[in-house]
Amino acid sequence: MPRLSTKITVKLEPELLQELQLISEYEGHTVSRLVRESVYNYVKERREGYGSGTIRLNLSRFEMSVVNDLVKIGYVDNAEQVFHEAFHDQMANHGMGKAMEMASRIRDMAPFKGGVPSSPSSLSDQALKNASKGEEEGPDDE
C-alpha cells in the first residue's frame, strides 16, 4: 500500500464520532481507516454508478452475512444477483410479472432519451483533487 502523505481535518458531530469510534473498536480498525474506506467507496460509487440506476440498500449485519456467505459458497455471483432474484420473485408473487415483461419490451423498443445527468466517471482526477483540497467547501467547513 502506498504511504499516506496527505492529512485533512474533518468536522463531525460528537455523537457521530462516538459511534464511529465504537464501530472502529468493534471491528478492530482505526477511525482513520474507516474514514478512508468510506471516502474511497463514496468516490468509487460516484465514478461507477451515478445515473445508472444504482440503488443503495441498508442491510442488517445478519442479512449482509447471509449475502456474503451465499457469494462465498458460490450460490450467487454477487450481492446484486441476490437483489435481482428477490425482486423478480417478489414481482411474480404479486402478479407483476406481465407488467414487468411489458415494461421491458417497451424499454427495448425505444432507447431512453431523457435528461440523465452526466456520469461522474467523467469527473477528472484533477476535479477530485480540487474537491479534496476544499475548493468547493461551504460556509460551515471553515
Side-chain angles (χ1 to χ4, degrees):
M1 175 180 228
R3 183 175 176 269
L4 304 175
S5 60
T6 303
K7 182 178 180 178
I8 65 169
T9 302
V10 177
K11 294 181 181 182
L12 299 174
E13 291 81 11
E15 298 82 19
L16 182 59
L17 177 58
Q18 186 177 17
E19 284 188 55
L20 189 59
Q21 289 169 330
L22 289 172
I23 293 169
S24 70
E25 289 174 20
Y26 177 79
E27 295 182 357
H29 301 297
T30 64
V31 169
S32 292
R33 178 176 173 178
L34 294 181
V35 170
R36 271 193 309 276
E37 287 178 1
S38 297
V39 170
Y40 173 81
N41 290 332
Y42 181 86
V43 170
K44 182 179 175 187
E45 285 177 9
R46 294 307 178 278
R47 281 188 167 179
E48 295 174 355
Y50 186 75
S52 67
T54 300
I55 297 175
R56 292 189 52 123
L57 298 175
N58 291 321
L59 302 177
S60 70
R61 288 181 191 223
F62 173 75
E63 292 167 332
M64 200 62 221
S65 174
V66 170
V67 169
N68 288 333
D69 288 344
L70 292 172
V71 171
K72 283 180 191 173
I73 64 172
Y75 186 77
V76 294
D77 295 328
N78 53 48
E80 290 82 13
Q81 184 181 354
V82 174
F83 171 79
H84 291 297
E85 290 181 11
F87 179 80
H88 288 287
D89 287 349
Q90 182 71 16
M91 292 297 108
N93 289 338
H94 290 282
M96 298 294 294
K98 289 191 182 246
M100 285 184 58
E101 183 180 335
M102 181 61 76
S104 178
R105 288 183 182 181
I106 291 170
R107 186 182 61 235
D108 291 342
M109 288 169 46
F112 178 72
K113 304 279 188 204
V116 177
S118 63
S119 168
S121 63
S122 63
L123 285 174
S124 68
D125 287 335
Q126 187 60 44
L128 288 173
K129 287 178 187 175
N130 291 344
S132 70
K133 290 179 184 176
E135 292 184 18
E136 295 182 6
E137 290 181 350
D140 293 338
D141 293 333
E142 296 176 351

